[in-house]
Amino acid sequence: MEYDFSHSNFNFEDFIDAYTSCVTTSKDDITATALGIYEEIFSLLKSSFEEEELTTLYKELTKHRLNNGIPYAIVANEVHSLKNMLISSNEQNIHKIDIIALLNLFESVNNSIASIYLLEYIKELVALNDIRIHSIEDLVEKNIMLHYEAHLIWLSDLAIHIEDKNKRDFPELNHTLCQFGRWLHNEAKDVIPNKKKYQSLVKLHKNLHLFASKIYKILGKGKYHILITYLEKCEFISLGIGTELALLDQILINKKISQDPLTGALNRNGLSNIFTNQYELALATGNSFVIAMCDLDYFKNINDTYGHVAGDQLLKLFVNIVKKTLRNSDVIIRYGGEEFLIILPSITQVQGVNVLEKIREEFSKSSLEFNDATISCTVSIGMLEIRPKFLFNEKFIDRYLIQADQNLYLAKERGRNRVIF
């Protein structure tokens, strides 16, 4: 079919400025190339053209945008915006344009863009899942995450079937019959005592298979823009399942670590296993986690003034305040003397700061009554967010602890009683 929008009143600069991620004043080669292709697209729209001509230009633009890290959603939105601009520019002469034909044209363009992004997304997803699977294999203790490994294999198999447009030997669609589902609906009931957590996992897993069923129904029909959306939903839900399982796994690990007899915090001798597992869990689930070095301010002065018994009670007070704030999956380790290490799984930097600020504030407001004296103290905290990208290396523990310790030093240097990240 031939299209002709030469009578339309639309402006190239207005479109670029308002609806794209390009910047007309930039001298960047990436932007310049994209702008050049857009100029060709607008030149084509000012004359009569065939659908294939516009699709070819958009495929060229898509490959360029993809290679430079521009997400599918942005490119798809630019196509949607151009379509709307063409419609609005013909409001006064609506009879001159076949709206249905225009909508079909831009749906076809968007679909061709989606097909390119979908193949790249599948390649990245399978590669990421391979890393996630390896990270689970390297866990010191697998516990619940062993079952998540089977789930990741299922997700990779789903992605490969989409790439091959193959419905034969399709991954199990019944959420109760896949390998993970069989575990979830049987043994998991005893492993996960929290009913709300369990029901949440069941619902997530059921929704995951619902989208997989939708994928099966439209596979081979050329609906790439829908397939990429459904596959993204599957990965998003999958990571949500992984996050919940990782938190449950961390609780099981924490229960096996011995405690410091004085404070009730975990012993430092469990640090290596805890950190290694947390790193691998974060890598497997695509999450970040937070570590924080905490040091009680002027603690030596308190020991010297009131004695070590008072100091010991103050350490207990701090750990009790921390435990009231933390989740069951979080960890506090007595690192040495008045220094503690806190590990917060599946959490962002902003969330971690909020948790640690609450601890800092609660401790600064608390006091200890000892031999007719009221003793108060503050804590300085050096925090670090860790978002794993590589398979675990033993050197990582010392490297990250040094960085957190450096932030702790800055907190001390800047006046104490603060969180530095």
Side-chain angles (χ1 to χ4, degrees):
M1 180 177 176
E2 191 173 81
Y3 298 87
D4 188 348
F5 302 116
S6 56
H7 55 275
S8 301
N9 180 28
F10 56 88
N11 184 280
F12 172 75
E13 285 75 18
D14 289 345
F15 173 74
I16 295 298
D17 289 341
Y19 301 112
T20 78
S21 57
C22 299
V23 182
T24 54
T25 56
S26 173
K27 295 181 180 179
D28 191 291
D29 289 340
I30 298 170
T31 303
T33 303
L35 285 171
I37 300 173
Y38 267 120
E39 285 176 347
E40 291 185 59
I41 289 172
F42 267 72
S43 177
L44 188 69
L45 294 174
K46 288 291 187 180
S47 61
S48 60
F49 63 93
E50 297 288 337
E51 178 182 313
E52 185 60 32
E53 295 178 85
L54 183 62
T55 302
T56 299
L57 282 175
Y58 261 108
K59 283 181 177 178
E60 183 184 348
L61 177 68
T62 300
K63 289 174 183 176
H64 170 75
R65 305 287 262 166
L66 178 61
N67 290 337
N68 290 286
I70 306 298
Y72 165 69
I74 289 179
V75 182
N77 185 63
E78 291 175 0
V79 173
H80 178 70
S81 299
L82 179 56
K83 174 192 68 181
N84 288 344
M85 179 177 272
L86 284 171
I87 293 174
S88 62
S89 67
N90 284 277
E91 284 179 343
Q92 303 301 321
N93 301 293
I94 202 70
H95 61 280
K96 292 184 179 180
I97 183 172
D98 186 338
I99 297 295
I100 301 299
L102 183 143
L103 293 176
N104 289 337
L105 169 65
F106 277 89
E107 182 179 3
S108 177
V109 168
N110 182 37
N111 205 37
S112 65
I113 290 170
S115 68
I116 296 171
Y117 268 95
L118 179 62
L119 291 176
E120 184 63 24
Y121 176 42
I122 288 171
K123 183 171 75 174
E124 290 178 358
L125 176 58
V126 171
L128 269 174
N129 272 359
D130 284 345
I131 293 173
R132 291 164 181 160
I133 290 166
H134 282 307
S135 70
I136 293 173
E137 290 172 350
D138 291 340
L139 283 170
V140 178
E141 294 186 49
K142 290 186 174 64
N143 297 317
I144 293 174
M145 292 304 289
L146 177 65
H147 304 285
Y148 187 59
E149 182 180 354
H151 168 73
L152 290 173
I153 293 170
W154 176 91
L155 182 62
S156 290
D157 192 23
L158 175 67
I160 292 168
H161 273 76
I162 295 172
E163 181 181 25
D164 296 339
K165 303 173 187 176
N166 178 22
K167 286 189 173 182
R168 295 189 306 276
D169 300 318
F170 204 76
E172 179 59 60
L173 293 176
N174 188 318
H175 69 100
T176 65
L177 297 180
C178 69
Q179 187 173 340
F180 180 80
R182 290 199 300 272
W183 169 79
L184 183 61
H185 289 274
N186 292 284
E187 296 99 317
K189 293 177 181 178
D190 298 323
V191 179
I192 308 171
N194 187 314
K195 289 185 178 180
K196 286 187 178 180
K197 284 280 185 186
Y198 177 76
Q199 291 300 329
S200 174
L201 276 170
V202 169
K203 185 177 180 180
L204 280 172
H205 188 239
K206 186 176 181 180
N207 286 340
L208 173 69
H209 279 259
L210 175 63
F211 281 108
S213 297
K214 289 177 180 288
I215 287 171
Y216 182 82
K217 289 177 182 177
I218 64 172
L219 194 60
K221 296 182 179 180
K223 303 285 187 180
Y224 302 112
H225 58 300
I226 300 176
L227 284 172
I228 195 171
T229 300
Y230 286 168
L231 186 57
E232 284 175 342
K233 289 280 189 183
C234 286
E235 185 187 19
F236 180 77
I237 295 171
S238 170
L239 292 176
I241 291 171
T243 298
E244 293 293 337
L245 294 177
L247 290 171
L248 290 166
D249 219 42
Q250 193 64 53
I251 293 170
L252 294 176
I253 292 168
N254 294 350
K255 288 179 178 179
K256 297 178 182 179
I257 305 296
S258 62
Q259 291 185 341
D260 169 47
L262 173 64
T263 63
L266 298 184
N267 272 324
R268 183 175 174 175
N269 57 17
L271 173 58
S272 179
N273 282 359
I274 290 173
F275 186 92
T276 303
N277 270 280
Q278 183 48 56
Y279 185 95
E280 299 289 9
L281 290 171
L283 184 60
T285 56
N287 286 309
S288 59
F289 66 102
V290 162
I291 64 172
M293 295 294 288
C294 309
D295 189 83
L296 273 57
D297 298 324
Y298 301 113
F299 185 74
K300 184 178 182 302
N301 291 348
I302 291 171
N303 271 341
D304 291 344
T305 304
Y306 301 101
H308 288 277
V309 174
D312 288 349
Q313 289 190 24
L314 199 59
L315 294 175
K316 292 179 185 177
L317 176 64
F318 175 71
V319 171
N320 287 337
I321 287 172
V322 172
K323 285 185 173 182
K324 287 178 182 177
T325 307
L326 298 186
R327 303 164 295 179
N328 289 336
S329 55
D330 299 334
V331 179
I332 178 169
I333 297 170
R334 189 174 183 190
Y335 195 71
E338 71 277 16
E339 197 168 24
F340 296 86
L341 177 68
I342 293 175
I343 301 178
L344 307 175
S346 303
I347 203 168
T348 64
Q349 178 174 281
V350 172
Q351 293 168 327
V353 170
N354 290 337
V355 172
L356 296 170
E357 280 289 356
K358 185 176 180 181
I359 290 170
R360 183 200 61 76
E361 185 177 348
E362 287 296 320
F363 186 59
S364 68
K365 291 190 301 186
S366 66
S367 60
L368 175 68
E369 299 298 325
F370 183 80
N371 289 345
D372 299 324
T374 301
I375 306 171
S376 60
C377 186
T378 58
V379 62
S380 297
I381 302 175
M383 189 195 102
L384 181 69
E385 180 192 43
I386 301 172
R387 185 174 291 276
K389 294 182 180 179
F390 308 103
L391 292 175
F392 182 74
N393 185 310
E394 287 185 3
K395 295 178 181 178
F396 290 172
I397 298 179
D398 289 338
R399 184 185 305 169
Y400 289 130
L401 288 177
I402 288 170
Q403 290 179 36
D405 207 43
Q406 287 171 344
N407 286 339
L408 172 60
Y409 175 79
L410 287 175
K412 295 280 190 183
E413 192 179 53
R414 295 177 185 178
R416 293 178 168 79
N417 190 26
R418 65 193 65 226
V419 178
I420 294 292
F421 56 94

